[in-house]
Amino acid sequence: MKTKNVVDLTDLSHEELEEVVKLANEIKNRPEDYMDACRGKILATLFYEPSTRTQMSFQTAMLRLGGKIIGFDNPQNSSVAKGENLKDTVTVVGGYSDILAIRHPLEGTAAAAAMYSPVPVVNAGDGGHLHPTQTLTDVVTLSNESGRLDHLCIGLCGDLKNGRTVHSLIKTMSTFEGNRFVLISTPELTVPRYIKDIINASGCKYTEVRSLAEAMPLLDVLYMTRIQRERFASEEEYKRQNGVFVLDREKLRTAKKTMKILHPLPRVDEIDVEVDYDDRAKYFVQTVYGMYGRMALILKLLENNTKEYPGRVMPTHPFRCINPRCISSTEKYLPGLFDEAGGDMLICKYCDGRRLI
Amino acid sequence: MKTKNVVDLTDLSHEELEEVVKLANEIKNRPEDYMDACRGKILATLFYEPSTRTQMSFQTAMLRLGGKIIGFDNPQNSSVAKGENLKDTVTVVGGYSDILAIRHPLEGTAAAAAMYSPVPVVNAGDGGHLHPTQTLTDVVTLSNESGRLDHLCIGLCGDLKNGRTVHSLIKTMSTFEGNRFVLISTPELTVPRYIKDIINASGCKYTEVRSLAEAMPLLDVLYMTRIQRERFASEEEYKRQNGVFVLDREKLRTAKKTMKILHPLPRVDEIDVEVDYDDRAKYFVQTVYGMYGRMALILKLLENNTKEYPGRVMPTHPFRCINPRCISSTEKYLPGLFDEAGGDMLICKYCDGRRLI
Amino acid sequence: MKTKNVVDLTDLSHEELEEVVKLANEIKNRPEDYMDACRGKILATLFYEPSTRTQMSFQTAMLRLGGKIIGFDNPQNSSVAKGENLKDTVTVVGGYSDILAIRHPLEGTAAAAAMYSPVPVVNAGDGGHLHPTQTLTDVVTLSNESGRLDHLCIGLCGDLKNGRTVHSLIKTMSTFEGNRFVLISTPELTVPRYIKDIINASGCKYTEVRSLAEAMPLLDVLYMTRIQRERFASEEEYKRQNGVFVLDREKLRTAKKTMKILHPLPRVDEIDVEVDYDDRAKYFVQTVYGMYGRMALILKLLENNTKEYPGRVMPTHPFRCINPRCISSTEKYLPGLFDEAGGDMLICKYCDGRRLI
């Protein structure tokens, strides 16, 4: 695979993504053929905030390929995290290992890490920004459970405004033909304008509805997500919405027998435990597909791997991003990097934040 | 081995236990024959409270069998531990791995985990309730150091009331013929009634004494345990008892030359450091036997391993346990499961707590 | 190799050190020949204080030799660290593993651990005292980058009074012929008297200077270290010194084209990020040499490895060290061990602290 780093899933070309999904399915069918595929290779998981689930998924993926793992998960205890800038840590740990998975509370960290790492960098979550291997997980699941990635009617329910997994899934599924999105949320928590623009540009369609009940009979796929309690105006509002957006057996009555229920997990209250016993519930097996997806991605990124420090990146502009949650606001040596978006608008290459010149 | 989960050591039949002990001894004698026995298998250690020693023993066991390890040990930092119920964590991590070792501060957690795990569950300690691999450690040690598991005079010293390792060892050793127990403690800290009932029912014998000195000359085995300072009425009482229940070289004078001293470790003050240099001290080599015991147990549990989610367990009664330290009081989706113990008495299947209907 | 434990790098004979460096270079050139060299062996990293970088370097070294790793890094969460004395932990974990790397905030801990461990002990840092694998890292780097270990002009800059890496590097490089040291620091932060005595005794030479600028043109090697802000009398003093001791591109102008810049890392402000792009900057590749050095050391220490508990060490004197940062002040069972240094002077064998009889 030509791509070196996966900061966003769109770093993969459509063909590369299909290759990864195909390989994931092959590994799933014959895992023993891949038991030594990464023999002698080391994955470093640099988790600047704890995410046990994601870290275990990466670790398991590497171990099941016959590779080894190092890393940290504990920023308070980590001398790396404390005294040292991101660049130095990535440079050094990239020297020890063959591939990095990085998670960080600040947006754009994986993009910044990729500028310094001699080995491939996979974004395991950078703040509320991107989390490409979750989307890969979703895609591998649909490929297996729905049998195709196109011409699906996909319902997305929950906090569609802030949910990075929702945005990323829509962006990716829009690149496949004939998909249709049913956006299920309160008016306050619907997807941002730019996501709707992406759907429109792709030639896919979307509808917005205000309850699970309205959407249910139409769906091939129901993608549930959490709504954080603090997103609601009041406790009463929260409780009222709960009845409309919480999935239970009753609401499933009108769904297709072949519908697939997905969830990025962890689930809190938005899916009743009783639904776990319904054959349409795929959110647990989804995590296993996630493991196969990560195995395929690691394997592809390690193809043609020659350890090499990247060339120096020069700033595009003589200032830096003003988003306080952007890594380039904190790590002062990072060059200011912007794409010009027409007019006076700049888009930060780390965090995708916009600013006027 | 037919048994899938080891929540309590009594989950193994007497024959299965003997098989495991035999295999532990074989591994000890020819470890190189087992270096690849678990190749391609993953042990997940889910430690909801830290117990470095126990976790390292499980990890070492799996690594020495050629297997791999994932897991967590740090509940504060663990997203798994925080946001997610036990059932979901066990379901997901069971999907990643081939066997789980679980430790949790609440009683009955391993039993609950076994209801949802697609792979074998080993209890690595559930509150003050059970810790079967410690008892397996003790049994493998006795088998090697005393040369037999029957017709032993076994002294148990310390806090016999609250010590789960003591209760478990008595329960297991009672299933072998001709063992005799000398219970060495204050009257307040002697074993509970139900343990005495188990000894009596087994046909074994026991005596209660009030000092190490009285017991010493009789013993083939001396099993020392810690008495926590806070168990005593006063600091003076604690200091007084210390002289009676702390093992030192002086007290060892009247012991048999062949007596074996065991301790589940960590030791605090109850064995003087000078005793470490006595040939009868077996508490350090005991930890090595524990590693072989865990290796044997993992190997046996992975025999005939087909990964399969267990069927749904329905409640036996329409209410749950009232023990606040029982996992079923906290995790609300767990079905109420009780054995009827005669009369109006119910025994909780998670924590073994009793309640009236 | 005859040596069992590496508490200080001087535990290796000059020949043994040269062997290790030679092996490190061989591994670097043909890493695939060593991929299974430690198959079936386990390294335990006992880190009583976090040092992610050092721990990852040891772990990577063992994994790249085909070995496995266990350990802890989190004293607050560790039951081992909390309840148990060092002797018991080392005895038990030594029973599980084949080699120990130990880090501890108290001086002399590795020496104490070596008294009880059945397997080789490598000091991964004991307080401000010793850190031999850092020095090994430096030596392997010089051997490769400067092409020799003798007849070098070595500048050392920063806090030379308190920097254990500086002391250790001088001690080791003094054993090679014709090396000359340029000590670059404030008068308050120059090397202790005993280090100057070592240089003089070795037949090597040293000069003391007060700025990087004076030293620069002379140097084959520039070894930069951090000066902690709190070492300065005032904030103004700190800022003033900064200009004199911070390395930047400007100061490099007068340096030889072939000079090598080293730093034990993590770096804070004492080297400007711009210097990273200068070909003379070797502080990042230095960490990779450190990995090869640790691989070589582990491999050598595991040669002729027979697991054996060391004999009991008896005290040389009937009292213990009075240094509150010495492990023997805290762990009361440790025997008082002193070398007589002439007159009434004793030198503690744990922490190298001096006291009068």
Side-chain angles (χ1 to χ4, degrees):
Chain A
M1 195 157 76
K2 259 173 45 194
T3 300
K4 184 185 167 192
N5 304 295
V6 178
V7 174
D8 194 359
L9 202 57
T10 55
D11 290 342
L12 300 182
S13 69
H14 195 84
E15 291 65 40
E16 285 179 328
L17 176 61
E18 288 187 318
E19 258 181 68
V20 171
V21 174
K22 195 175 150 215
L23 179 56
N25 294 345
E26 271 176 44
I27 296 172
K28 176 178 160 273
N29 293 330
R30 297 200 312 282
E32 57 287 357
D33 289 4
Y34 296 86
M35 268 179 73
D36 288 318
C38 287
R39 186 162 173 273
K41 301 290 184 189
I42 293 180
L43 164 73
T45 55
L46 307 186
F47 274 51
Y48 286 85
E49 65 177 5
S51 176
T52 313
R53 170 72 62 72
T54 301
Q55 195 169 22
M56 282 203 286
S57 182
F58 273 102
Q59 291 171 336
T60 307
M62 191 58 170
L63 294 174
R64 291 216 178 275
L65 291 166
K68 319 238 172 163
I69 51 176
I70 57 169
F72 57 83
D73 64 351
N74 198 341
Q76 284 78 37
N77 270 341
S78 169
S79 59
V80 166
K82 258 187 294 187
E84 188 169 66
N85 68 37
L86 179 74
K87 168 183 183 293
D88 287 9
T89 301
V90 164
T91 304
V92 171
V93 183
Y96 293 162
S97 61
D98 300 287
I99 184 166
L100 302 181
I102 189 164
R103 183 173 188 111
H104 198 286
L106 294 182
E107 299 167 12
T109 301
M115 288 168 49
Y116 301 106
S117 173
V119 299
V121 169
V122 181
N123 188 358
D126 58 336
H129 185 221
L130 301 166
H131 191 11
T133 58
Q134 179 60 53
T135 305
L136 178 60
T137 296
D138 303 337
V139 171
V140 175
T141 305
L142 290 179
S143 159
N144 276 273
E145 292 291 334
S146 297
R148 64 180 193 276
L149 294 172
D150 49 43
H151 299 93
L152 292 170
C153 181
I154 304 170
L156 300 116
C157 176
D159 178 354
L160 309 187
K161 184 177 172 203
N162 303 288
R164 67 183 170 189
T165 59
V166 165
H167 303 169
S168 185
L169 184 60
I170 292 175
K171 270 161 46 178
T172 295
M173 293 308 290
S174 292
T175 70
F176 293 88
E177 214 179 335
N179 287 326
R180 184 181 156 201
F181 304 96
V182 184
L183 309 172
I184 310 159
S185 73
T186 64
E188 297 79 24
L189 293 177
T190 192
V191 298
R193 183 71 245 162
Y194 87 97
I195 292 290
K196 293 179 182 171
D197 292 346
I198 288 171
I199 301 176
N200 287 329
S202 73
C204 290
K205 302 249 173 293
Y206 71 87
T207 349
E208 295 186 280
V209 302
R210 296 287 164 256
S211 73
L212 269 170
E214 282 173 78
M216 200 61 80
L218 309 167
L219 305 178
D220 299 313
V221 176
L222 172 56
Y223 195 87
M224 294 293 298
T225 65
R226 212 173 340 150
I227 311 188
Q228 291 176 313
R229 194 173 289 234
E230 54 272 29
R231 302 287 185 202
F232 291 98
S234 66
E235 185 69 18
E236 293 75 53
E237 182 70 7
Y238 172 72
K239 288 219 175 105
R240 203 178 60 77
Q241 301 296 356
N242 241 1
V244 185
F245 297 117
V246 167
L247 184 64
D248 57 23
R249 285 211 144 163
E250 180 56 34
K251 293 204 191 74
L252 270 177
R253 283 206 194 180
T254 62
K256 292 185 190 172
K257 289 268 171 286
T258 58
M259 190 183 77
K260 312 298 174 191
I261 310 167
L262 274 61
H263 190 296
L265 299 190
R267 155 259 303 265
V268 183
D269 292 322
E270 60 280 5
I271 302 180
D272 189 273
V273 175
E274 285 298 313
V275 176
D276 300 359
Y277 300 97
D278 191 295
D279 284 345
R280 291 166 285 197
K282 299 300 176 192
Y283 34 91
F284 290 127
V285 72
Q286 189 179 354
T287 60
V288 179
Y289 290 121
M291 179 182 79
Y292 291 121
R294 288 182 178 95
M295 288 171 79
L297 186 64
I298 291 170
L299 211 44
K300 282 283 174 192
L301 290 174
L302 288 178
E303 276 177 13
N304 319 318
N305 173 33
T306 55
K307 206 161 182 163
E308 202 172 350
Y309 285 91
R312 186 173 192 177
V313 178
M314 301 309 287
T316 60
H317 293 76
F319 42 76
R320 259 171 299 109
C321 181
I322 53 170
N323 170 8
R325 298 199 48 75
C326 176
I327 187 75
S328 72
S329 319
T330 305
E331 306 261 327
K332 297 303 187 189
Y333 55 85
L334 289 173
L337 295 176
F338 298 90
D339 283 323
E340 314 218 343
D344 289 341
M345 188 60 78
L346 296 177
I347 302 179
C348 173
K349 286 202 188 190
Y350 300 98
C351 73
D352 292 313
R354 280 143 189 269
R355 63 171 282 175
L356 292 171
I357 295 184
Chain B
M1 194 158 75
K2 258 172 48 195
T3 299
K4 183 183 169 194
N5 305 296
V6 178
V7 173
D8 193 358
L9 202 58
T10 55
D11 290 342
L12 300 181
S13 69
H14 194 84
E15 290 67 38
E16 286 179 327
L17 175 61
E18 288 187 317
E19 258 180 68
V20 171
V21 173
K22 196 175 149 214
L23 179 56
N25 295 345
E26 272 176 44
I27 296 172
K28 176 179 162 273
N29 293 331
R30 297 200 312 281
E32 58 286 359
D33 289 5
Y34 295 88
M35 269 179 72
D36 288 319
C38 288
R39 187 163 173 271
K41 300 291 182 186
I42 293 179
L43 164 74
T45 54
L46 308 185
F47 274 50
Y48 287 85
E49 65 178 5
S51 177
T52 314
R53 170 73 61 72
T54 301
Q55 196 169 22
M56 282 203 285
S57 181
F58 273 102
Q59 290 172 336
T60 307
M62 191 57 171
L63 293 174
R64 291 215 177 274
L65 292 166
K68 318 238 172 162
I69 51 175
I70 58 169
F72 57 83
D73 64 351
N74 198 340
Q76 284 79 36
N77 270 341
S78 168
S79 60
V80 166
K82 258 188 294 188
E84 187 169 68
N85 69 37
L86 179 75
K87 168 182 183 295
D88 287 9
T89 300
V90 164
T91 304
V92 172
V93 183
Y96 292 162
S97 61
D98 300 287
I99 184 165
L100 302 181
I102 189 164
R103 184 173 187 110
H104 199 285
L106 293 183
E107 298 168 12
T109 300
M115 287 168 50
Y116 300 106
S117 173
V119 299
V121 170
V122 180
N123 188 358
D126 59 336
H129 185 220
L130 301 166
H131 191 11
T133 58
Q134 178 60 53
T135 305
L136 177 60
T137 296
D138 304 337
V139 170
V140 174
T141 305
L142 291 179
S143 159
N144 276 272
E145 293 292 333
S146 297
R148 64 181 195 274
L149 295 170
D150 49 42
H151 299 92
L152 292 169
C153 181
I154 304 169
L156 300 116
C157 176
D159 179 354
L160 309 186
K161 184 177 172 200
N162 302 289
R164 65 182 172 190
T165 58
V166 165
H167 304 167
S168 185
L169 184 60
I170 292 175
K171 271 166 37 181
T172 296
M173 293 308 290
S174 292
T175 68
F176 293 88
E177 214 179 333
N179 287 325
R180 185 180 155 200
F181 303 96
V182 184
L183 310 172
I184 310 160
S185 73
T186 64
E188 296 79 23
L189 292 177
T190 191
V191 298
R193 183 72 242 163
Y194 87 96
I195 292 290
K196 294 179 181 170
D197 292 346
I198 287 171
I199 302 176
N200 287 330
S202 74
C204 290
K205 301 251 172 290
Y206 71 88
T207 347
E208 296 186 282
V209 302
R210 296 289 164 257
S211 74
L212 269 170
E214 283 173 79
M216 199 61 81
L218 308 167
L219 304 179
D220 299 313
V221 176
L222 172 56
Y223 196 86
M224 294 293 299
T225 65
R226 212 174 341 150
I227 310 188
Q228 292 174 314
R229 196 172 289 234
E230 56 270 31
R231 302 288 185 201
F232 290 99
S234 66
E235 186 68 19
E236 294 76 51
E237 181 71 6
Y238 172 72
K239 289 217 175 107
R240 203 177 61 75
Q241 301 296 354
N242 243 2
V244 184
F245 297 117
V246 168
L247 185 63
D248 56 23
R249 284 213 146 162
E250 179 56 34
K251 292 205 190 77
L252 270 177
R253 283 206 193 179
T254 62
K256 293 185 190 172
K257 290 270 172 285
T258 58
M259 189 183 78
K260 312 299 173 190
I261 309 167
L262 274 62
H263 190 298
L265 300 188
R267 155 260 302 265
V268 184
D269 292 322
E270 61 279 6
I271 302 179
D272 188 273
V273 175
E274 285 297 314
V275 175
D276 299 0
Y277 300 96
D278 190 294
D279 284 345
R280 290 165 284 196
K282 299 299 176 190
Y283 35 90
F284 290 127
V285 71
Q286 189 180 354
T287 61
V288 179
Y289 290 121
M291 179 182 80
Y292 291 121
R294 288 182 177 95
M295 289 172 79
L297 186 64
I298 290 170
L299 210 45
K300 283 282 174 192
L301 289 174
L302 287 178
E303 276 178 13
N304 320 316
N305 173 30
T306 56
K307 206 161 182 163
E308 202 172 348
Y309 284 91
R312 185 173 193 177
V313 177
M314 302 308 288
T316 60
H317 292 76
F319 43 75
R320 258 170 302 108
C321 182
I322 52 170
N323 170 8
R325 299 199 48 76
C326 177
I327 186 74
S328 73
S329 317
T330 304
E331 306 262 327
K332 297 303 188 188
Y333 55 84
L334 289 172
L337 295 176
F338 298 90
D339 283 324
E340 315 219 343
D344 290 341
M345 189 61 78
L346 295 177
I347 302 178
C348 172
K349 286 201 187 190
Y350 300 99
C351 72
D352 293 314
R354 280 145 189 267
R355 64 171 283 175
L356 292 172
I357 296 184
Chain C
M1 195 159 74
K2 258 172 48 194
T3 299
K4 184 185 168 191
N5 304 296
V6 179
V7 173
D8 194 357
L9 202 57
T10 55
D11 290 342
L12 301 181
S13 70
H14 195 84
E15 291 67 39
E16 286 178 329
L17 175 61
E18 288 188 315
E19 258 181 68
V20 171
V21 174
K22 196 176 148 213
L23 180 55
N25 294 345
E26 272 177 43
I27 297 172
K28 175 178 162 274
N29 293 331
R30 298 201 312 280
E32 57 286 358
D33 289 4
Y34 295 87
M35 268 179 72
D36 288 318
C38 288
R39 185 162 174 272
K41 300 290 182 188
I42 293 179
L43 164 73
T45 55
L46 308 185
F47 274 50
Y48 286 85
E49 64 178 5
S51 176
T52 313
R53 170 73 61 72
T54 302
Q55 195 169 23
M56 282 203 286
S57 181
F58 273 102
Q59 290 172 337
T60 306
M62 191 57 171
L63 293 175
R64 291 215 178 274
L65 292 167
K68 318 238 171 162
I69 50 176
I70 58 170
F72 57 83
D73 64 351
N74 196 340
Q76 283 79 36
N77 269 341
S78 168
S79 60
V80 165
K82 257 186 295 185
E84 187 168 66
N85 68 36
L86 178 75
K87 169 182 183 293
D88 286 9
T89 300
V90 164
T91 305
V92 171
V93 183
Y96 292 163
S97 61
D98 300 288
I99 184 166
L100 303 181
I102 189 163
R103 184 172 187 111
H104 199 284
L106 294 182
E107 299 167 11
T109 301
M115 288 167 50
Y116 301 106
S117 172
V119 299
V121 169
V122 180
N123 188 358
D126 58 335
H129 185 222
L130 301 166
H131 191 11
T133 59
Q134 179 59 53
T135 305
L136 178 60
T137 295
D138 304 338
V139 171
V140 174
T141 304
L142 291 179
S143 159
N144 276 273
E145 293 291 334
S146 297
R148 65 180 193 277
L149 295 170
D150 48 43
H151 299 92
L152 293 169
C153 180
I154 304 170
L156 301 116
C157 176
D159 179 353
L160 308 187
K161 184 177 172 201
N162 303 290
R164 65 182 171 189
T165 59
V166 166
H167 303 169
S168 186
L169 183 61
I170 292 175
K171 271 164 40 180
T172 296
M173 293 308 289
S174 292
T175 69
F176 293 88
E177 215 179 334
N179 286 325
R180 182 180 158 203
F181 303 96
V182 183
L183 309 173
I184 310 159
S185 72
T186 64
E188 295 80 25
L189 293 177
T190 192
V191 299
R193 184 70 245 164
Y194 86 97
I195 292 289
K196 293 178 182 173
D197 292 345
I198 288 170
I199 301 176
N200 287 330
S202 73
C204 290
K205 302 249 172 289
Y206 71 88
T207 347
E208 297 187 279
V209 303
R210 297 287 163 255
S211 74
L212 269 170
E214 281 173 81
M216 200 62 80
L218 308 166
L219 304 179
D220 300 312
V221 176
L222 172 55
Y223 196 88
M224 293 292 299
T225 65
R226 213 176 337 152
I227 310 187
Q228 291 175 314
R229 194 171 289 233
E230 55 270 29
R231 302 287 184 202
F232 290 100
S234 66
E235 186 68 19
E236 294 75 52
E237 181 70 7
Y238 172 73
K239 288 216 174 105
R240 203 179 61 76
Q241 301 296 355
N242 242 2
V244 184
F245 297 117
V246 167
L247 185 63
D248 56 23
R249 285 213 145 162
E250 180 56 33
K251 292 204 191 76
L252 271 177
R253 284 207 193 178
T254 62
K256 292 186 191 171
K257 289 269 172 286
T258 57
M259 189 185 75
K260 313 299 173 190
I261 310 167
L262 274 62
H263 189 298
L265 299 188
R267 153 260 303 263
V268 184
D269 292 322
E270 60 280 3
I271 301 179
D272 188 273
V273 174
E274 285 298 313
V275 176
D276 300 359
Y277 300 96
D278 190 294
D279 284 345
R280 289 166 285 197
K282 300 298 176 192
Y283 34 90
F284 290 128
V285 72
Q286 190 180 354
T287 61
V288 179
Y289 290 121
M291 179 182 80
Y292 291 121
R294 288 183 177 95
M295 288 172 79
L297 186 64
I298 291 170
L299 210 44
K300 283 282 175 191
L301 290 174
L302 288 178
E303 277 177 13
N304 319 318
N305 173 32
T306 55
K307 204 161 185 165
E308 201 172 349
Y309 284 91
R312 186 173 192 177
V313 177
M314 301 309 288
T316 59
H317 292 76
F319 43 75
R320 259 172 297 109
C321 182
I322 52 170
N323 170 8
R325 299 199 48 76
C326 176
I327 187 74
S328 72
S329 318
T330 305
E331 306 261 327
K332 297 302 187 189
Y333 55 85
L334 289 173
L337 295 176
F338 298 90
D339 282 325
E340 315 218 343
D344 289 342
M345 188 61 79
L346 295 177
I347 302 178
C348 172
K349 287 202 187 189
Y350 300 99
C351 72
D352 292 314
R354 280 146 188 268
R355 63 170 283 176
L356 293 171
I357 296 184

